[in-house]
Every structure is written in structure tokens, then in C-alpha cells.
Amino acid sequence: MEVRTDNTINEKRKVDKSTLIWIGLGVIIIAIAGINLWSVFGTKSEVSPDLPKLAEARVPDFSLTNQQGQPVQLSDMAGKIWIADFIFTNCPTICPAMTQEMARLQSEFVADPVYFVSFSVDPERDTVEVLSRYATAYGADDRRWHFLTGEKDSIYQLAEHGFSLAAGHQGSEILHSVRFVLVEPDGNIHDYYDSRSRPAMLRLRRDVKTLLKK
């Protein structure tokens, strides 16, 4: 019959603790690997199925006013790579983060011919003066980053039917998409990117660099 001494029991406890530690480390490693794989492959399903086929998606003409009081039309963006979003200056939630991300993109591509357009979905309050102050607060280069205002119906139509993005009201709440849109020099929409997603933003940066090489 085996006699279990205190030393034997202590040794067994040490082995059990060591085994648990290694099992815990294994679980952590597998979890990290899973997150990394999702970062690489997960963005392929980022675009929702209701978005248009990109080969057929083209930005329609528009005529709005920027933060300098100057008219801006689609023709002004012809031949340019540009990134668009829909925001409003009084937004207390996602818009500040979206605009900060756009500002980072402006800084990263400061030496490249990349342009930015932020359409206001609250044009009644977002006057030229309001947009000018907002643009200044985020360090916008007026030559490369337009904040546009105009007729509300026109902007909502442009968002929904031109970019296939949500825009509208639900009671007193203003609704809009959190996606960025990359537009090619010919006016075709290259792709959509969730501004809240780090993998999506990395993909946007890669796509811009690819277009710059063409």
C-alpha cells in the first residue's frame, strides 16, 4: 500500500498548480491568435449586404456649400481620390470620433493628393460659420477638406440614393451612417469602411495607397 507523506502531497499540489498555469497560458495564446485571425479576415464581412455592388456604384452630381462659403460640386472632385462621411457638428456621440479619424487621415496623407468631404446631415444648424469653426477646431486644411451644407432634402437624398448610406430623423434624433466612403478619381465608389473598426481603417489606408500608385 502506498504511503502518502506530506512531501508527496505537496509535490502533487505543485504539479497541479503548474498544470493549471500552463493550461491558462494555452487558453490566452489561443485567444490572442483568434483575435489576430479575425483582424486579418474579419473585415471581409464588414460591408453590409444592402450596400450596392461597387462596380455599379457612382457618386451622383451634387451642388453644396463648404465652410468657406464656396460652392462645391462633384465636378470639383473630378480626378481626385477622396474620402467622404456624413456627420453633424452638434453630434454628442460618434461624430467627434469620426472627425478625429478623418483628421488623422489628413495628417497621414498630407504629402499626397488625397481629399476629404464631410457632409452635414443637420444643415439647418450647420451654417457656413458653424462649419468653419468646426473645421478649424479639427485642424482641417480648407484646400483639401470640405465640410458641406445645403438643402436638407438634397443631402439626405445624396446620402441614401447616392452613397447608399443611412441619413434621416427619428423624432428629435438625427440618424446617419458611421461609414467612410473611398471615392476614386472617376467618381466611382471604391469601398465602404466602418469608422469604428481598426481593421477597417487599416484597410482604408491600404486602399488609398493602392489608388495613389495607379
Side-chain angles (χ1 to χ4, degrees):
M1 182 177 69
E2 180 183 0
V3 177
R4 301 184 66 184
T5 66
D6 290 343
N7 287 338
T8 303
I9 294 171
N10 288 337
E11 287 298 323
K12 185 174 185 304
R13 286 175 178 171
K14 288 180 181 178
V15 171
D16 289 343
K17 289 180 180 179
S18 177
T19 302
L20 289 174
I21 290 172
W22 282 110
I23 291 173
L25 287 173
V27 171
I28 292 171
I29 291 170
I30 292 171
I32 292 172
I35 291 171
N36 288 334
L37 286 172
W38 179 87
S39 296
V40 174
F41 300 107
T43 57
K44 291 184 179 180
S45 62
E46 184 249 337
V47 177
S48 60
D50 61 338
L51 293 175
K53 294 180 181 179
L54 297 181
E56 303 171 357
R58 186 177 181 84
V59 178
D61 196 14
F62 59 84
S63 182
L64 298 166
T65 304
N66 70 8
Q67 71 270 28
Q68 295 176 297
Q70 300 170 339
V72 175
Q73 300 176 336
L74 180 63
S75 58
D76 295 312
M77 306 307 297
K80 299 175 181 177
I81 297 168
W82 52 290
I83 301 169
D85 69 350
F86 289 81
I87 53 102
F88 62 105
T89 63
N90 201 41
C91 172
T93 54
I94 189 62
C95 297
M98 292 175 67
T99 307
Q100 286 171 2
E101 183 63 33
M102 197 76 93
R104 281 191 286 270
L105 289 166
Q106 177 189 241
S107 297
E108 291 175 27
F109 292 103
V110 66
D112 300 300
V114 180
Y115 297 79
F116 308 88
V117 180
S118 294
F119 298 90
S120 171
V121 291
D122 188 17
E124 294 170 341
R125 285 189 291 186
D126 285 342
T127 62
V128 169
E129 293 77 13
V130 170
L131 289 177
S132 179
R133 290 195 297 270
Y134 191 78
T136 300
Y138 284 94
D141 181 348
D142 291 336
R143 297 166 298 178
R144 300 174 56 216
W145 189 353
H146 297 295
F147 289 81
L148 300 183
T149 188
E151 293 294 329
K152 182 169 66 176
D153 290 344
S154 298
I155 293 174
Y156 284 8
Q157 287 287 324
L158 179 64
E160 295 173 5
H161 302 295
F163 287 91
S164 295
L165 297 178
H169 281 80
Q170 187 174 34
S172 60
E173 184 179 4
I174 299 175
L175 306 177
H176 63 93
S177 174
V178 298
R179 294 177 187 271
F180 286 177
V181 186
L182 178 58
V183 184
E184 299 176 357
D186 60 4
N188 282 326
I189 293 175
H190 183 82
D191 212 341
Y192 296 82
Y193 311 82
D194 188 335
S195 64
R196 303 164 300 182
S197 166
R198 183 174 178 272
M201 290 295 96
L202 291 174
R203 183 166 59 84
L204 170 58
R205 287 164 168 83
R206 290 196 300 267
D207 289 352
V208 169
K209 291 174 182 177
T210 299
L211 290 178
L212 286 168
K213 293 177 182 178
K214 290 185 177 181

